[in-house]
Amino acid sequence: MTATRTPSDQSTSKPPRRPGDRIFASTARGAGILILVILAGVTAFLLYEALPALTAPAEEIPGDEGLVSYIAPLLFGTLLSATIALVVATPLAVAIALFITHYAPRRMALWLGYVVDLLAAIPSIVYGFWGITWLAPKLVPFYRWLEENLGFIPLFAGPTSATGRTMFTVGLVLAIMILPIISAISREVFLQVPTLHKEAALALGATRWEMIKMAVIPYGKSGIIGGSMLGLGRALGETMAVAIILSVSGGITFNLISSGNPSTIAANVALEFPESTGIDVNTLIASGLALFLITLGVNMLARWIVNRRADFSGAN
């Protein structure tokens, strides 16, 4: 006696998957698992190599004040330079993206988009040489003006650096470096805004800027946040440009225009690693572990914000 399929069974059965679909699904799944394995491997390596520094007495750590005292100024400098870069780059990148997508003529927008994207192809060491030889000396008169007119603000208290190799200069260079990342993502998000949304706003009598404010920007907020966090990740881990430009004297200070500046974790590792041995190497790896955790936390926060914004975006 043979079993027969009822029409309901046939309607609920899934069609067989094609070999190409199975191969693609397996490859994508394997790539995702491989990324997690690599991430776990990096974490295990950093923890293993940083363990001697984590358990060492304070007098064995460079500076003789313990691991926390060694990493704290570096972490502060890393966050400060990245924050300056993000504050400067984000509004400028969004403005460039809006101009390219909604104001510039089509031919001009095409070439302008290429030029902005090419900024990402310039090596970081070139940005460093440009910053130390051209930008830093040009900013010295501006820093003196800030000290004379806004010196009551701790950020510009001075005394002004004679070379311009300050934290503010580093922040500006990092802003230019992350500008193409934020601008490219924002531009693509703005191009995805439904045409009906924009036409509806214009039909109600809105000007072009009012249409952008009511339809384009609310729709693209999650993309702007995601692009900004990607740029922040780049700024947090930048090494050569910061190492070349910044004049380091250690310590924690909010003064952005003086010659006394805290270093960053990545730049400190690049400068100190070649001559370090023993516990000094473990200390540098421990600082790298701190940077790894900060970057991972920033990306997780960005993913949470993007997912939260997606539920309330203009697309819904």
Side-chain angles (χ1 to χ4, degrees):
M1 183 176 182
T2 59
T4 59
R5 289 186 178 182
T6 63
S8 60
D9 293 336
Q10 295 178 0
S11 61
T12 57
S13 62
K14 296 181 179 180
R17 299 176 66 183
R18 297 179 180 179
D21 294 336
R22 291 197 298 269
I23 294 174
F24 177 79
S26 301
T27 303
R29 187 181 300 108
I33 295 174
L34 179 62
I35 292 174
L36 294 177
V37 171
I38 293 175
L39 186 63
V42 171
T43 305
F45 168 79
L46 291 175
L47 286 172
Y48 178 78
E49 293 295 334
L51 188 60
L54 295 174
T55 57
E59 58 270 13
E60 294 185 8
I61 304 298
D64 299 330
E65 295 183 358
L67 186 62
V68 175
S69 298
Y70 179 83
I71 295 179
L74 301 175
L75 188 58
F76 174 80
T78 302
L79 295 176
L80 181 60
S81 61
T83 301
I84 296 171
L86 194 65
V87 170
V88 174
T90 300
L92 184 58
V94 172
I96 291 174
L98 288 174
F99 177 76
I100 292 175
T101 55
H102 290 87
Y103 286 94
R106 179 171 299 181
R107 183 174 299 180
M108 179 182 178
L110 180 64
W111 287 104
L112 185 58
Y114 288 155
V115 171
V116 174
D117 292 341
L118 281 175
L119 291 175
I122 300 176
S124 59
I125 194 169
V126 175
Y127 279 112
F129 285 138
W130 171 75
I132 193 175
T133 59
W134 188 87
L135 182 62
K138 297 292 183 182
L139 288 175
V140 172
F142 175 63
Y143 291 158
R144 290 173 180 163
W145 182 90
L146 288 176
E147 181 185 2
E148 293 174 359
N149 296 274
L150 300 176
F152 59 90
I153 302 176
L155 297 177
F156 312 119
T160 302
S161 171
T163 61
R165 299 173 60 184
T166 66
M167 184 62 71
F168 195 80
T169 303
V170 168
L172 293 179
V173 173
L174 291 178
I176 298 174
M177 296 178 70
I178 68 176
L179 180 67
I181 300 175
I182 305 175
S183 178
I185 296 177
S186 300
R187 189 168 68 244
E188 293 301 321
V189 171
F190 293 155
L191 289 174
Q192 299 301 320
V193 178
T195 304
L196 290 177
H197 289 198
K198 295 184 288 187
E199 291 179 348
L202 294 173
L204 291 174
T207 63
R208 183 180 298 185
W209 166 242
E210 290 173 340
M211 178 270 294
I212 291 173
K213 185 172 63 174
M214 293 187 297
V216 177
I217 293 180
Y219 184 92
K221 276 186 178 179
S222 60
I224 295 173
I225 295 172
S228 300
M229 293 301 104
L230 285 177
L232 178 60
R234 168 73 189 276
L236 288 172
E238 180 52 43
T239 304
M240 291 309 301
V242 178
I244 292 173
I245 298 172
L246 192 61
S247 176
V248 179
S249 63
I252 297 177
T253 175
F254 286 95
N255 194 337
L256 303 181
I257 62 174
S258 70
S259 57
N261 303 286
S263 184
T264 65
I265 292 177
N268 182 70
V269 171
L271 293 174
E272 299 293 336
F273 191 83
E275 300 179 358
S276 298
T277 57
I279 193 66
D280 293 347
V281 175
N282 301 115
T283 303
L284 293 175
I285 295 178
S287 66
L289 175 63
L291 178 61
F292 176 79
L293 295 176
I294 290 295
T295 307
L296 185 63
V298 166
N299 282 277
M300 293 177 64
L301 177 63
R303 176 57 57 186
W304 178 78
I305 294 174
V306 169
N307 291 337
R308 181 178 175 85
R309 288 296 313 174
D311 296 334
F312 305 98
S313 66
N316 296 326

